[in-house]
Amino acid sequence: MHVVVNAAMSADGKLSSRRREQVRISGEADFDRMDALRAASDAVVVGVGTVLADDPHLTVKDDERRQRRLDAGKSPSPARVVVDSRGRTPTDSAVLDDAAETYVCVTEDAPTENVDALAERATVVPAGTGRVDLREAFAALESAGLESIMVEGGGELIFSLVEADLVDELRVFVGPRLIGGRDAPTVADGEGYVADFPELELEAVERLDGGVVLSWRIESDAAV
C-alpha cells in the first residue's frame, strides 16, 4: 500500500479558519492537480470531521480522467473512505451516494443504530475500540484491493496516520494567504510530538497558483 497525504494550507500553515469553515486557499491549477491525484488513486480518505464540515463528494471531476479510468476497467472515481469512530456520517452525505464505492471505518463499539444505517449505504469496516485502529483499518482496505491511497484530511486524521507510520508522501500546496488563529486547524493536529519528530525528505518544489507545491517523502520502516 502507498499512502499520499494531499493538503492545501495558508502561508502560516492553516487548513481553514478558527471557525473550521472552508477557506479557498488554492486556485484552479491546484484543483486540477488534486483531481489528477484522485484519478490515479484507488481510494480517497477523509475523517468524519471533513464530512460534517464540508460534505465533500470526493469524485474525479475531469471527464477525460474519468474515461481513462473506465477504459482501464475501473470505476469513474476511486473508492471513498471515511474514518468515523462513532459512525456519525449522515446517511444523506455526498460520499454515500452511488457515484463510487464507499467504506466507513468505525470502531467495534460504535453505536449499533449508526453502524446499521451506514451499512445500508456503504461497506462498514470495524477496527479497534474507542477510536479507529488505523493500521487495522488500512490493512482491511488493502485486502479489499485498495493499494494506492490519497488522504485529503483533516489535520487530526493526518497526524494520526503519520503517528501510525502509515504515510509515504506528503504533498502540500502553500497558498499566498494568511489565516491566523491559535485554534485554526493545521496539516497535522492531534497531540503533536515532543520528541522523535518525523523526518521528511523534500522531493519536489513547484510554483502554482501564486503559491508553491511541496512534495515530501516520509521514511517508514512499518508495513501495513
Side-chain angles (χ1 to χ4, degrees):
M1 177 180 280
H2 188 81
V3 179
V4 178
V5 169
N6 184 75
M9 70 180 188
S10 61
D12 56 336
K14 307 299 184 180
L15 296 179
S16 66
S17 72
R18 58 186 171 82
R19 295 179 178 176
R20 297 186 177 265
E21 297 169 341
Q22 193 172 43
V23 175
R24 182 164 177 144
I25 295 172
S26 59
E28 293 303 322
D30 189 57
F31 291 153
D32 188 67
R33 179 191 66 84
M34 181 178 68
D35 195 59
L37 184 55
R38 275 186 189 171
S41 303
D42 295 327
V44 178
V45 181
V46 296
V48 66
T50 297
V51 172
L52 294 174
D54 302 333
D55 193 24
H57 203 204
L58 304 180
T59 54
V60 175
K61 310 304 181 189
D62 183 76
D63 289 339
E64 291 186 6
R65 293 184 182 120
R66 292 167 63 87
Q67 187 59 52
R68 283 197 292 270
R69 285 182 58 91
L70 287 170
D71 292 343
K74 301 177 180 179
S75 60
S77 292
R80 300 163 297 187
V81 179
V82 182
V83 177
D84 181 3
S85 295
R86 303 297 293 169
R88 295 186 294 139
T89 300
T91 55
D92 61 351
S93 297
V95 293
L96 296 179
D97 67 11
D98 58 3
E101 188 174 10
T102 303
Y103 296 79
V104 182
C105 302
V106 301
T107 56
E108 294 173 4
D109 51 0
T112 301
E113 60 273 20
N114 292 2
V115 173
D116 289 346
L118 288 170
E120 295 181 4
R121 306 291 304 276
T123 299
V124 175
V125 179
T129 57
R131 61 184 299 182
V132 171
D133 183 320
L134 291 169
R135 293 192 59 78
E136 183 180 341
F138 273 48
L141 297 175
E142 186 175 36
S143 295
L146 306 179
E147 297 280 353
S148 176
I149 307 295
M150 175 187 182
V151 179
E152 294 194 21
E156 294 277 351
L157 174 61
I158 292 171
F159 175 81
S160 296
L161 288 168
V162 173
E163 189 177 36
D165 211 12
L166 288 169
V167 179
D168 299 290
E169 294 182 60
L170 174 63
R171 301 182 189 179
V172 180
F173 174 83
V174 183
R177 172 169 297 186
L178 293 175
I179 294 177
R182 65 178 62 87
D183 296 324
T186 67
V187 170
D189 281 343
E191 295 181 3
Y193 292 95
V194 295
D196 299 323
F197 305 103
E199 295 290 333
L200 309 181
E201 179 182 350
L202 184 63
E203 291 197 317
V205 178
E206 177 187 4
R207 294 189 65 168
L208 197 68
D209 279 341
V212 62
V213 179
L214 303 175
S215 298
W216 307 84
R217 177 168 291 279
I218 302 179
E219 295 299 327
S220 172
D221 296 326
V224 177

